[in-house]
């Protein structure tokens, strides 16, 4: 064999190897089939299936569809039937009595009983479990003390009365209590399964039990694909139409697009650059999330001149008015996100009286207005009032793509506002940003808040003067009173409570305590034949129970 | 030889110990906690959760606990994958990375040797120039650019291979090719340079004079001698490939370890950072040791113990 032949042989062998491999790949176009299946991409791994430990979006979506609590959240976070068949609430709003349905079953064959709720809740608040969402139990009798390790878990305000009657006692009325029950951390847990799997519980799809519309298969704990299969033992199985839903983790946006275009997947998330070219695609949808990005001004700045400046309302307003939210979201960020209407995000909650969206009901135009002329005037007046001739501001944010775009844009706008302002950008990793924010080690910072549940209070409780996450130390007695009334004396009166929250938001915006910039929106391509997916902006966002392929 | 090996293994463990210690203390300098929901927890809630994990103790004590754990054979539990054992995480994530790395290594080295040999034998002809262009491209084009091109053309446009995923051999072809380009180019360049040298040496002239076939000369005399220095190249190359390429794994949605490592640093997943670092270091040390041993076996001029025993 001479060298030429050797080379030829290699080339042919190589080519045929590639060919053979190509034959091995079956094409299974999921979108063209009329079968009730679909493939959805996720942009992050599934970290856990333990109901007490879920903190992220992926696990909460998976748990929400494989398990069920007292209620299931429907469209606009409306309560739809879950394990609870009927509910009575005491007059003072502090005692809830649930009657459970008798036909709910776990996938290990056991019945879902009131004891499962007691066990699951006690497990979550137990300090030993180290649940990072145990704080949501605050307000349920003794929860705070139990989480802090000061009372035994058995004192938690939940009691099983036989197998199908459950009583929950609260320290104070919680008006959004029923919505909370749709949150996965409040779902029941089967003691037998938790004990049986021990330290493995929730770490793979087989070391877990299910009582929801779907059962999970194929998740080995760290892999990038898994499947939700229709759970035949689910009490309402006749209303579940999908036979299976496959999930594939795709972290690279162009890979997602290639998979979508080759009909391998049916729902993908688009990146900023892709949004521009797919905005008019028939499969394009924008999903708002209850997540607002805003600027905090450090009124307690170690730089005394800046602290004084940021305590001045006119200066805060000037800096806010120099930001064109529209230009920023459309031309700079361009990932589908929308300009903020205020601090509380849009599409979160609707007024109990006139059905108006909270963000519209509490809208204060000046809070998110863009007006350079007015801004300059306010700035000059403000600087005069505090006796400063110039401001040297550091602007802190994440080192992500969005973080960098935000700081660059704001830097440009603020320096355009006046030559008296000089801005230095600081883009740091997320964890560093958090720590510096909490330590008050910043002049201005771009922060974000995601609501835990679809009630404005999930946002508004943040800026009371004593809240540890009020990093800029915004301080308003009127705001504090309004929030405290909503959480306290008006908690049982839906309308008054709503008005309290509107008052709070308006106060915050009129004071320009913070400068909201944008509301995070996820742009998706989803095949138009996928119907019945329920999406909410906060909490367990996706409910696939009624999903079907048309 | 035995004495040498024991000495090397001792050094290996010493190296690992130093790496583990340095990583541990550097890691503790990073701001923040490993908590996933950190942005929403108050200081006291954070403190009580951290106490459950023993992260409230002084750093030196945590260090002793950690090292003690390693001696008991435990790398701890991951934070980002709640309650998942780090050893399981590494184990299940390492497989795909190793497989891809191994395949890329074989493809790269084999085709690299062929390309390099052709270049050397056909020196200064079009074949040589083509081989040079290929190897320059292989080094100059980053693997992720190649990955995107392969995915778009061979995956989407021609539908020859799956676009992304990890469900069988067909899924490994594109990532393997993307990863193989750089070792292929390196090997080709290396072999070509080396073989040009060898081919002009006296014993090759002698072989030619004896009337041996061209293939015989190249295969038996030139290639073998050029391969010896290749061994030095293969050790680090293998380590680099097998520890996974974050970008290529991401593009093809491969459940590998490369990306996991970077993410564990970003979210302060201490046990995973430690576990993966120790694992990487051990792998690299082992490969270097193997290289040295293999070197001694194939080239008798090299004496491992240094004093000729």
């Amino acid at each position: 064999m001479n060298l030429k032949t050797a080379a030829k042989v290699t080339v042919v062998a190589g080519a045929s190897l590639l060919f053979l491999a190509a034959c091995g790949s079956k094409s299974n176009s999921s979108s063209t089939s009329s079968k009730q299946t679909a493939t959805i991409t996720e942009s992050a791994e599934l970290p856990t299936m333990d109901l007490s430990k879920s903190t992220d979006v992926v696990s909460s979506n998976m748990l929400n569809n494989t398990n069920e609590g007292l209620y299931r959240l429907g469209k606009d976070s409306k309560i739809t039937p879950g394990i609870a068949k009927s509910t009575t609430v005491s007059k003072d709003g502090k005692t809830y009595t649930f009657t459970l349905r008798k036909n709910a079953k776990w996938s290990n064959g056991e019945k879902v009983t009131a004891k499962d709720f007691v066990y699951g809740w006690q497990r979550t608040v137990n300090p030993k479990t180290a649940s990072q969402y145990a704080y949501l139990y605050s307000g349920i009798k003794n929860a705070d003390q139990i989480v802090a390790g000061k009372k035994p878990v058995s004192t938690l305000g939940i009691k099983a009365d036989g197998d199908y009657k459950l009583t929950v006692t609260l320290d104070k009325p919680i008006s959004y209590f029923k919505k909370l029950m749709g949150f996965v951390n409040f779902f029941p847990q089967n003691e037998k399964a938790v004990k049986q799997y021990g330290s493995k519980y929730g770490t793979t799809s087989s070391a877990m039990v299910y009582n929801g519309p779907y059962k999970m298969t194929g998740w080995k704990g760290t892999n990038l694909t898994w499947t939700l299969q229709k759970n035949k033992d689910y009490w309402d199985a006749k209303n579940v139409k999908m036979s299976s839903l496959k999930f594939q983790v795709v972290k690279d946006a162009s890979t997602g697009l290639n998979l979508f275009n080759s009909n391998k997947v049916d729902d993908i998330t688009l990146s900023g650059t892709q949004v521009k070219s797919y905005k008019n695609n028939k499969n394009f949808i924008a999903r708002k999330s209850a997540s607002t990005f805003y600027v905090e001004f450090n009124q307690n700045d170690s730089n005394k001149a800046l602290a004084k400046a940021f305590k001045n309302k006119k200066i805060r307003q000037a800096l806010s008015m120099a930001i064109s939210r529209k230009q920023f979201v459309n031309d700079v960020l361009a990932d589908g996100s929308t300009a903020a209407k205020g601090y509380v995000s849009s599409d979160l909650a609707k007024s109990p009286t006139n059905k108006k969206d909270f963000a519209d009901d509490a809208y204060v135009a000046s809070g998110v207005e863009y007006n350079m002329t007015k801004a300059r005037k306010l700035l000059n007046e403000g600087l005069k009032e505090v006796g400063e001739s110039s401001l040297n501001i550091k602007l802190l944010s994440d080192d992500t793509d969005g973080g960098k775009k935000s700081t660059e844009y704001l830097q440009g706008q603020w320096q355009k506002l006046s030559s008296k302002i000089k801005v230095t950008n600081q883009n740091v990793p997320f964890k560093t940003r958090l720590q510096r924010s909490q330590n008050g080690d910043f002049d201005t910072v771009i922060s974000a808040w995601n609501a835990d549940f679809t009630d404005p209070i999930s946002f508004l409780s943040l800026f009371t003067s004593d809240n540890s996450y009020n990093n800029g130390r915004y301080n308003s007695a009127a705001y504090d009173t309004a929030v405290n009334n909503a959480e306290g004396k008006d908690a049982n009166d839906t309308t008054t409570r709503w008005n309290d929250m509107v008052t709070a938001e308006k106060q915050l915006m009129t004071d320009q305590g913070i400068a909201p910039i944008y509301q995070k929106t996820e742009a998706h391509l989803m095949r138009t034949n996928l119907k019945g997916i329920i999406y909410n902006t906060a909490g367990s966002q996706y409910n696939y129970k009624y999903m079907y392929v048309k | 030889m035995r004495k040498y090996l024991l000495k090397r293994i001792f050094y290996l463990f010493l190296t690992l110990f130093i790496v583990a210690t340095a990583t541990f203390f550097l890691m503790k300098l990073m701001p923040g906690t490993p908590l996933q929901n950190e942005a929403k927890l108050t200081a006291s809630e954070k403190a009580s959760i951290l106490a459950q994990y023993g992260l409230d103790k002084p750093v030196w004590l945590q260090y002793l606990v950690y090292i003690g754990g390693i001696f008991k054979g435990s790398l701890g539990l991951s934070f980002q994958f709640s309650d998942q054992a780090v050893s399981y995480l590494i184990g299940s994530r390492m497989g795909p990375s190793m497989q891809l790395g191994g395949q890329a290594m074989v493809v790269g080295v084999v085709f690299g040797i062929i390309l390099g040999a052709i270049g050397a034998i056909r020196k200064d002809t079009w074949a040589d120039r083509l081989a040079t262009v290929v190897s320059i491209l292989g080094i100059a084009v980053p693997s992720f650019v190649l990955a995107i091109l392969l995915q778009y053309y061979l995956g989407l446009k021609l539908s020859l291979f799956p676009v992304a995923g990890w469900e069988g051999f067909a899924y490994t072809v594109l990532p393997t090719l993307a990863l193989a380009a750089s070792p292929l180019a390196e090997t080709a360049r290396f072999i070509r340079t080396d073989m040009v040298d060898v081919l002009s040496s006296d014993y090759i002239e002698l072989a030619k004079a004896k009337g041996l076939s061209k293939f015989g000369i190249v295969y038996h005399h030139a290639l073998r001698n050029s391969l010896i220095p290749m061994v030095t190249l293969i050790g680090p190359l293998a380590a680099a490939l097998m520890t996974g390429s974050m970008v290529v794994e991401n593009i093809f949605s491969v459940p590998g370890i490369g990306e996991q490592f970077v993410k564990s640093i970003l979210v302060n997943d201490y046990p995973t950072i430690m576990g993966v670092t120790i694992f990487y270091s051990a792998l690299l040390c082992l490969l270097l040791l193997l290289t040295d041993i293999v070197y001694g076996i194939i080239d008798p001029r090299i004496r491992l113990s240094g004093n000729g025993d």
Side-chain angles (χ1 to χ4, degrees), chain A residues 45 220 251 255 431 469, chain B residues 33 41 88 93 251 259:
Chain A
E45 279 115 332
K220 297 185 200 93
K251 293 181 182 167
T255 302
K431 295 263 179 190
Y469 277 88
Chain B
T33 70
L41 295 169
Y88 175 78
R93 283 304 189 98
I251 291 174
E259 195 249 349

Side-chain angles (χ1 to χ4, degrees), chain B residues 217-268:
Chain B
I217 294 172
V218 170
Y219 184 72
H220 289 290
H221 301 284
L223 197 55
R224 280 216 180 159
N225 278 336
S226 317
L227 283 183
I228 294 175
M230 263 298 291
V231 173
T232 14
L233 194 67
I234 285 180
L237 213 59
L241 278 174
M242 286 179 178
T243 45
S245 151
M246 169 184 159
V247 188
V248 172
E249 283 175 2
N250 254 354
I251 291 174
F252 292 104
S253 292
V254 176
I257 192 85
E259 195 249 349
Q260 201 44 58
F261 186 41
V262 179
K263 200 180 156 208
S264 65
I265 296 173
L266 288 178
V267 300
N268 287 10

